Amino acid sequence: MSGTPGLRPDGTRPEDFAEEARQASDNVCEALRCAGAELSDIVQVRSWLTARGDIEAYVKVRKGVISHRPANMLAADGCDALRGRAVRVSNMPEGDTMPGTSGTRRTPRGLETRSRIVDSAAKLFYVKGVNATTLDDVRLASSTSKSQLYNHFEDKLALIHAVIDVQSKFVLAREEQRLRGVKTLTGLRRWRDALVQANSLQDGSYGCALGAMSIELSDNDEQSRQALNTSFDAWLRMLVETLTRLRVLGVLAEDADPQRLGTGLLAALQGGYVLAQNAHSSEPMAVALDMALDHIESFARS
């Protein structure tokens, strides 16, 4: 929001400088209100005055309007661009690019707000579903204004893509941690136990964070489908690498096919999530994984 002068709605300029400064502040407030924002959303204020003698009066007015402490820049004298106006104020809402930079470098507060929006959306998408969650739901859950939400995400689809990225990183990091140390079939069973136990704690509800989004999005948004497919491919690679490790260590026989066994194991897991969600019980998931692991163990060396 740039170049807000201290002019009245009818275009006239107040005679008194302090009144003009207050009018400029009122104009800023009105512009923010129309955008669904408020003064507390501002993280930087840049002010231009035509006379140094007006600085004290301006600062007094500004302190009475803005109670928090955004970054501040104040210039006075020689401002030909002001065209006779005594004051002009430019404000940078939270999340705008930092001055003197290019691209979309966010302020620390803007990054925190974006993270809060994405985290809130991820929780709502997981519990309510993507289609049942509105942007107003996300805004309320993240305690953000409409201007903050739309400053970071132009629409719901952009937010969905951000959530897919965050959820994928979380799930894949978790799986990498659990699978990287598996060197025995018992270790693979412990991996199974951790998944079933986590699912049991929520009575089978909600399913897999990635699988649930795939069901809702893959046939309707190609970018979401590709992103989720990339995540499932990465998950599958972890399982294949684990099974390959077991074959190299001599736990599994040479004729064991890690690619096929890994695909079957991941399919059993995802199908188990869906059945557990419908049954509100982790039992179907446990059975599906046990059958897949029983098949893998049929390739164990004697």
Side-chain angles (χ1 to χ4, degrees), residues 5-39:
L7 301 179
R8 299 187 183 100
D10 61 6
T12 60
R13 173 187 166 189
E15 293 298 324
D16 178 68
F17 172 78
E19 183 183 348
E20 183 177 353
R22 280 190 290 271
Q23 183 63 57
S25 297
D26 289 344
N27 294 343
V28 169
C29 290
E30 178 62 18
L32 289 169
R33 186 192 65 78
C34 290
E38 54 191 24
L39 287 171

mmCIF file of all heavy atoms in Angstrom, residues 5-39:
data_model
loop_
_atom_site.group_PDB
_atom_site.id
_atom_site.type_symbol
_atom_site.label_atom_id
_atom_site.label_comp_id
_atom_site.label_asym_id
_atom_site.label_seq_id
_atom_site.Cartn_x
_atom_site.Cartn_y
_atom_site.Cartn_z
ATOM 1 N N PRO A 5 -1.736 9.821 0.904
ATOM 2 C CA PRO A 5 -1.590 11.209 1.362
ATOM 3 C C PRO A 5 -2.611 11.556 2.435
ATOM 4 O O PRO A 5 -3.543 10.804 2.699
ATOM 5 C CB PRO A 5 -1.853 12.015 0.090
ATOM 6 C CG PRO A 5 -2.862 11.184 -0.650
ATOM 7 C CD PRO A 5 -2.509 9.736 -0.352
ATOM 8 N N GLY A 6 -2.434 12.743 3.028
ATOM 9 C CA GLY A 6 -3.346 13.195 4.079
ATOM 10 C C GLY A 6 -4.478 14.038 3.538
ATOM 11 O O GLY A 6 -4.762 15.120 4.080
ATOM 12 N N LEU A 7 -5.127 13.585 2.485
ATOM 13 C CA LEU A 7 -6.231 14.320 1.887
ATOM 14 C C LEU A 7 -7.569 13.802 2.403
ATOM 15 O O LEU A 7 -7.738 12.598 2.622
ATOM 16 C CB LEU A 7 -6.186 14.205 0.361
ATOM 17 C CG LEU A 7 -4.918 14.720 -0.327
ATOM 18 C CD1 LEU A 7 -5.022 14.519 -1.828
ATOM 19 C CD2 LEU A 7 -4.656 16.169 0.025
ATOM 20 N N ARG A 8 -8.511 14.732 2.546
ATOM 21 C CA ARG A 8 -9.853 14.335 2.967
ATOM 22 C C ARG A 8 -10.546 13.583 1.832
ATOM 23 O O ARG A 8 -10.102 13.653 0.669
ATOM 24 C CB ARG A 8 -10.665 15.577 3.341
ATOM 25 C CG ARG A 8 -10.100 16.399 4.497
ATOM 26 C CD ARG A 8 -11.082 17.495 4.863
ATOM 27 N NE ARG A 8 -10.560 18.359 5.928
ATOM 28 C CZ ARG A 8 -10.018 19.554 5.719
ATOM 29 N NH1 ARG A 8 -9.915 20.032 4.465
ATOM 30 N NH2 ARG A 8 -9.586 20.276 6.722
ATOM 31 N N PRO A 9 -11.659 12.878 2.141
ATOM 32 C CA PRO A 9 -12.394 12.168 1.091
ATOM 33 C C PRO A 9 -12.816 13.062 -0.068
ATOM 34 O O PRO A 9 -12.945 12.590 -1.205
ATOM 35 C CB PRO A 9 -13.612 11.608 1.839
ATOM 36 C CG PRO A 9 -13.120 11.425 3.241
ATOM 37 C CD PRO A 9 -12.203 12.586 3.478
ATOM 38 N N ASP A 10 -13.022 14.375 0.190
ATOM 39 C CA ASP A 10 -13.428 15.286 -0.884
ATOM 40 C C ASP A 10 -12.233 15.842 -1.651
ATOM 41 O O ASP A 10 -12.385 16.683 -2.549
ATOM 42 C CB ASP A 10 -14.269 16.451 -0.325
ATOM 43 C CG ASP A 10 -13.499 17.311 0.690
ATOM 44 O OD1 ASP A 10 -12.282 17.059 0.875
ATOM 45 O OD2 ASP A 10 -14.114 18.214 1.277
ATOM 46 N N GLY A 11 -11.019 15.381 -1.315
ATOM 47 C CA GLY A 11 -9.827 15.791 -2.043
ATOM 48 C C GLY A 11 -9.142 17.030 -1.518
ATOM 49 O O GLY A 11 -8.097 17.424 -2.039
ATOM 50 N N THR A 12 -9.698 17.639 -0.490
ATOM 51 C CA THR A 12 -9.079 18.847 0.067
ATOM 52 C C THR A 12 -8.021 18.479 1.090
ATOM 53 O O THR A 12 -8.040 17.397 1.681
ATOM 54 C CB THR A 12 -10.136 19.741 0.732
ATOM 55 O OG1 THR A 12 -10.773 19.020 1.798
ATOM 56 C CG2 THR A 12 -11.183 20.185 -0.285
ATOM 57 N N ARG A 13 -7.109 19.430 1.299
ATOM 58 C CA ARG A 13 -6.004 19.196 2.230
ATOM 59 C C ARG A 13 -6.224 20.002 3.504
ATOM 60 O O ARG A 13 -6.474 21.213 3.443
ATOM 61 C CB ARG A 13 -4.695 19.616 1.574
ATOM 62 C CG ARG A 13 -3.496 19.590 2.502
ATOM 63 C CD ARG A 13 -2.291 20.172 1.812
ATOM 64 N NE ARG A 13 -1.227 20.459 2.752
ATOM 65 C CZ ARG A 13 -0.121 21.127 2.451
ATOM 66 N NH1 ARG A 13 0.040 21.597 1.241
ATOM 67 N NH2 ARG A 13 0.797 21.338 3.382
ATOM 68 N N PRO A 14 -6.141 19.390 4.682
ATOM 69 C CA PRO A 14 -6.272 20.125 5.943
ATOM 70 C C PRO A 14 -5.203 21.205 6.061
ATOM 71 O O PRO A 14 -4.076 21.023 5.596
ATOM 72 C CB PRO A 14 -6.096 19.053 7.017
ATOM 73 C CG PRO A 14 -6.439 17.779 6.324
ATOM 74 C CD PRO A 14 -5.965 17.944 4.916
ATOM 75 N N GLU A 15 -5.549 22.309 6.683
ATOM 76 C CA GLU A 15 -4.602 23.404 6.852
ATOM 77 C C GLU A 15 -3.556 23.074 7.913
ATOM 78 O O GLU A 15 -2.374 23.390 7.772
ATOM 79 C CB GLU A 15 -5.355 24.681 7.242
ATOM 80 C CG GLU A 15 -6.263 25.238 6.156
ATOM 81 C CD GLU A 15 -5.490 25.636 4.909
ATOM 82 O OE1 GLU A 15 -4.346 26.133 5.059
ATOM 83 O OE2 GLU A 15 -6.018 25.448 3.797
ATOM 84 N N ASP A 16 -3.983 22.437 8.996
ATOM 85 C CA ASP A 16 -3.091 22.108 10.099
ATOM 86 C C ASP A 16 -2.327 20.820 9.786
ATOM 87 O O ASP A 16 -2.919 19.820 9.358
ATOM 88 C CB ASP A 16 -3.897 21.946 11.394
ATOM 89 C CG ASP A 16 -3.029 21.566 12.570
ATOM 90 O OD1 ASP A 16 -2.208 22.390 13.002
ATOM 91 O OD2 ASP A 16 -3.187 20.415 13.048
ATOM 92 N N PHE A 17 -1.001 20.825 9.996
ATOM 93 C CA PHE A 17 -0.217 19.635 9.669
ATOM 94 C C PHE A 17 -0.632 18.419 10.487
ATOM 95 O O PHE A 17 -0.750 17.315 9.960
ATOM 96 C CB PHE A 17 1.281 19.882 9.883
ATOM 97 C CG PHE A 17 2.074 18.609 9.730
ATOM 98 C CD1 PHE A 17 2.375 18.099 8.478
ATOM 99 C CD2 PHE A 17 2.487 17.881 10.846
ATOM 100 C CE1 PHE A 17 3.059 16.904 8.336
ATOM 101 C CE2 PHE A 17 3.174 16.691 10.706
ATOM 102 C CZ PHE A 17 3.464 16.203 9.441
ATOM 103 N N ALA A 18 -0.843 18.601 11.798
ATOM 104 C CA ALA A 18 -1.217 17.464 12.645
ATOM 105 C C ALA A 18 -2.519 16.851 12.160
ATOM 106 O O ALA A 18 -2.680 15.619 12.134
ATOM 107 C CB ALA A 18 -1.338 17.906 14.096
ATOM 108 N N GLU A 19 -3.449 17.705 11.715
ATOM 109 C CA GLU A 19 -4.720 17.197 11.190
ATOM 110 C C GLU A 19 -4.496 16.431 9.890
ATOM 111 O O GLU A 19 -5.114 15.405 9.639
ATOM 112 C CB GLU A 19 -5.691 18.354 10.950
ATOM 113 C CG GLU A 19 -7.065 17.902 10.476
ATOM 114 C CD GLU A 19 -8.001 19.063 10.179
ATOM 115 O OE1 GLU A 19 -7.667 20.202 10.562
ATOM 116 O OE2 GLU A 19 -9.044 18.813 9.550
ATOM 117 N N GLU A 20 -3.558 16.930 9.072
ATOM 118 C CA GLU A 20 -3.246 16.237 7.823
ATOM 119 C C GLU A 20 -2.622 14.866 8.112
ATOM 120 O O GLU A 20 -2.921 13.868 7.444
ATOM 121 C CB GLU A 20 -2.298 17.077 6.974
ATOM 122 C CG GLU A 20 -1.998 16.426 5.627
ATOM 123 C CD GLU A 20 -1.121 17.291 4.748
ATOM 124 O OE1 GLU A 20 -0.855 18.455 5.123
ATOM 125 O OE2 GLU A 20 -0.690 16.796 3.685
ATOM 126 N N ALA A 21 -1.750 14.814 9.123
ATOM 127 C CA ALA A 21 -1.125 13.543 9.495
ATOM 128 C C ALA A 21 -2.173 12.559 9.999
ATOM 129 O O ALA A 21 -2.140 11.359 9.678
ATOM 130 C CB ALA A 21 -0.060 13.771 10.556
ATOM 131 N N ARG A 22 -3.124 13.067 10.797
ATOM 132 C CA ARG A 22 -4.199 12.188 11.278
ATOM 133 C C ARG A 22 -5.064 11.715 10.118
ATOM 134 O O ARG A 22 -5.506 10.571 10.095
ATOM 135 C CB ARG A 22 -5.040 12.920 12.327
ATOM 136 C CG ARG A 22 -4.418 12.937 13.720
ATOM 137 C CD ARG A 22 -5.394 13.450 14.771
ATOM 138 N NE ARG A 22 -5.647 14.878 14.613
ATOM 139 C CZ ARG A 22 -4.925 15.825 15.185
ATOM 140 N NH1 ARG A 22 -3.896 15.503 15.957
ATOM 141 N NH2 ARG A 22 -5.223 17.103 15.005
ATOM 142 N N GLN A 23 -5.289 12.605 9.140
ATOM 143 C CA GLN A 23 -6.093 12.222 7.986
ATOM 144 C C GLN A 23 -5.387 11.134 7.160
ATOM 145 O O GLN A 23 -6.006 10.192 6.688
ATOM 146 C CB GLN A 23 -6.372 13.434 7.099
ATOM 147 C CG GLN A 23 -7.285 13.137 5.905
ATOM 148 C CD GLN A 23 -8.672 12.693 6.329
ATOM 149 O OE1 GLN A 23 -9.362 13.398 7.053
ATOM 150 N NE2 GLN A 23 -9.084 11.508 5.878
ATOM 151 N N ALA A 24 -4.055 11.281 7.030
ATOM 152 C CA ALA A 24 -3.290 10.243 6.321
ATOM 153 C C ALA A 24 -3.420 8.899 7.024
ATOM 154 O O ALA A 24 -3.591 7.852 6.394
ATOM 155 C CB ALA A 24 -1.819 10.655 6.232
ATOM 156 N N SER A 25 -3.373 8.931 8.367
ATOM 157 C CA SER A 25 -3.528 7.696 9.141
ATOM 158 C C SER A 25 -4.927 7.122 8.974
ATOM 159 O O SER A 25 -5.102 5.904 8.853
ATOM 160 C CB SER A 25 -3.244 7.974 10.621
ATOM 161 O OG SER A 25 -1.908 8.390 10.819
ATOM 162 N N ASP A 26 -5.935 8.007 8.951
ATOM 163 C CA ASP A 26 -7.312 7.542 8.738
ATOM 164 C C ASP A 26 -7.452 6.894 7.362
ATOM 165 O O ASP A 26 -8.152 5.886 7.204
ATOM 166 C CB ASP A 26 -8.298 8.709 8.858
ATOM 167 C CG ASP A 26 -8.444 9.209 10.291
ATOM 168 O OD1 ASP A 26 -8.028 8.478 11.215
ATOM 169 O OD2 ASP A 26 -8.965 10.318 10.469
ATOM 170 N N ASN A 27 -6.776 7.473 6.372
ATOM 171 C CA ASN A 27 -6.840 6.914 5.028
ATOM 172 C C ASN A 27 -6.193 5.534 4.969
ATOM 173 O O ASN A 27 -6.666 4.634 4.277
ATOM 174 C CB ASN A 27 -6.149 7.858 4.037
ATOM 175 C CG ASN A 27 -6.875 9.184 3.897
ATOM 176 O OD1 ASN A 27 -8.041 9.308 4.279
ATOM 177 N ND2 ASN A 27 -6.189 10.190 3.351
ATOM 178 N N VAL A 28 -5.092 5.381 5.702
ATOM 179 C CA VAL A 28 -4.430 4.076 5.780
ATOM 180 C C VAL A 28 -5.362 3.055 6.418
ATOM 181 O O VAL A 28 -5.523 1.928 5.929
ATOM 182 C CB VAL A 28 -3.120 4.177 6.579
ATOM 183 C CG1 VAL A 28 -2.575 2.781 6.900
ATOM 184 C CG2 VAL A 28 -2.078 4.977 5.807
ATOM 185 N N CYS A 29 -6.009 3.446 7.528
ATOM 186 C CA CYS A 29 -6.925 2.538 8.227
ATOM 187 C C CYS A 29 -8.063 2.109 7.311
ATOM 188 O O CYS A 29 -8.456 0.932 7.301
ATOM 189 C CB CYS A 29 -7.492 3.214 9.480
ATOM 190 S SG CYS A 29 -6.295 3.467 10.799
ATOM 191 N N GLU A 30 -8.593 3.041 6.540
ATOM 192 C CA GLU A 30 -9.710 2.728 5.649
ATOM 193 C C GLU A 30 -9.267 1.775 4.537
ATOM 194 O O GLU A 30 -9.979 0.837 4.191
ATOM 195 C CB GLU A 30 -10.285 4.010 5.051
ATOM 196 C CG GLU A 30 -11.427 3.805 4.059
ATOM 197 C CD GLU A 30 -12.653 3.134 4.672
ATOM 198 O OE1 GLU A 30 -12.776 3.118 5.921
ATOM 199 O OE2 GLU A 30 -13.488 2.618 3.903
ATOM 200 N N ALA A 31 -8.084 2.013 3.987
ATOM 201 C CA ALA A 31 -7.573 1.130 2.937
ATOM 202 C C ALA A 31 -7.356 -0.285 3.476
ATOM 203 O O ALA A 31 -7.664 -1.280 2.804
ATOM 204 C CB ALA A 31 -6.277 1.693 2.370
ATOM 205 N N LEU A 32 -6.819 -0.387 4.694
ATOM 206 C CA LEU A 32 -6.614 -1.696 5.307
ATOM 207 C C LEU A 32 -7.954 -2.382 5.569
ATOM 208 O O LEU A 32 -8.104 -3.587 5.341
ATOM 209 C CB LEU A 32 -5.834 -1.554 6.614
ATOM 210 C CG LEU A 32 -4.352 -1.190 6.488
ATOM 211 C CD1 LEU A 32 -3.784 -0.822 7.854
ATOM 212 C CD2 LEU A 32 -3.562 -2.340 5.890
ATOM 213 N N ARG A 33 -8.927 -1.603 6.054
ATOM 214 C CA ARG A 33 -10.252 -2.170 6.340
ATOM 215 C C ARG A 33 -10.877 -2.749 5.081
ATOM 216 O O ARG A 33 -11.450 -3.841 5.091
ATOM 217 C CB ARG A 33 -11.165 -1.097 6.932
ATOM 218 C CG ARG A 33 -12.524 -1.635 7.397
ATOM 219 C CD ARG A 33 -13.499 -0.517 7.693
ATOM 220 N NE ARG A 33 -13.838 0.229 6.493
ATOM 221 C CZ ARG A 33 -14.700 -0.204 5.570
ATOM 222 N NH1 ARG A 33 -15.298 -1.373 5.720
ATOM 223 N NH2 ARG A 33 -14.957 0.520 4.504
ATOM 224 N N CYS A 34 -10.771 -2.033 3.974
ATOM 225 C CA CYS A 34 -11.341 -2.504 2.713
ATOM 226 C C CYS A 34 -10.666 -3.789 2.242
ATOM 227 O O CYS A 34 -11.268 -4.594 1.522
ATOM 228 C CB CYS A 34 -11.202 -1.428 1.637
ATOM 229 S SG CYS A 34 -12.262 0.021 1.908
ATOM 230 N N ALA A 35 -9.415 -3.970 2.656
ATOM 231 C CA ALA A 35 -8.669 -5.175 2.270
ATOM 232 C C ALA A 35 -8.830 -6.296 3.282
ATOM 233 O O ALA A 35 -8.222 -7.353 3.153
ATOM 234 C CB ALA A 35 -7.189 -4.837 2.113
ATOM 235 N N GLY A 36 -9.647 -6.053 4.332
ATOM 236 C CA GLY A 36 -9.841 -7.074 5.351
ATOM 237 C C GLY A 36 -8.702 -7.160 6.339
ATOM 238 O O GLY A 36 -8.516 -8.190 6.982
ATOM 239 N N ALA A 37 -7.917 -6.078 6.456
ATOM 240 C CA ALA A 37 -6.762 -6.082 7.360
ATOM 241 C C ALA A 37 -6.935 -5.005 8.419
ATOM 242 O O ALA A 37 -7.952 -4.306 8.471
ATOM 243 C CB ALA A 37 -5.475 -5.863 6.565
ATOM 244 N N GLU A 38 -5.918 -4.855 9.241
ATOM 245 C CA GLU A 38 -5.947 -3.853 10.299
ATOM 246 C C GLU A 38 -4.536 -3.352 10.552
ATOM 247 O O GLU A 38 -3.561 -3.873 9.985
ATOM 248 C CB GLU A 38 -6.543 -4.442 11.576
ATOM 249 C CG GLU A 38 -5.861 -5.711 12.031
ATOM 250 C CD GLU A 38 -6.634 -6.419 13.136
ATOM 251 O OE1 GLU A 38 -7.858 -6.223 13.239
ATOM 252 O OE2 GLU A 38 -5.985 -7.147 13.890
ATOM 253 N N LEU A 39 -4.416 -2.327 11.380
ATOM 254 C CA LEU A 39 -3.117 -1.715 11.614
ATOM 255 C C LEU A 39 -2.083 -2.694 12.146
ATOM 256 O O LEU A 39 -0.894 -2.593 11.845
ATOM 257 C CB LEU A 39 -3.263 -0.537 12.594
ATOM 258 C CG LEU A 39 -3.926 0.728 12.026
ATOM 259 C CD1 LEU A 39 -4.213 1.710 13.147
ATOM 260 C CD2 LEU A 39 -3.042 1.380 10.975
#
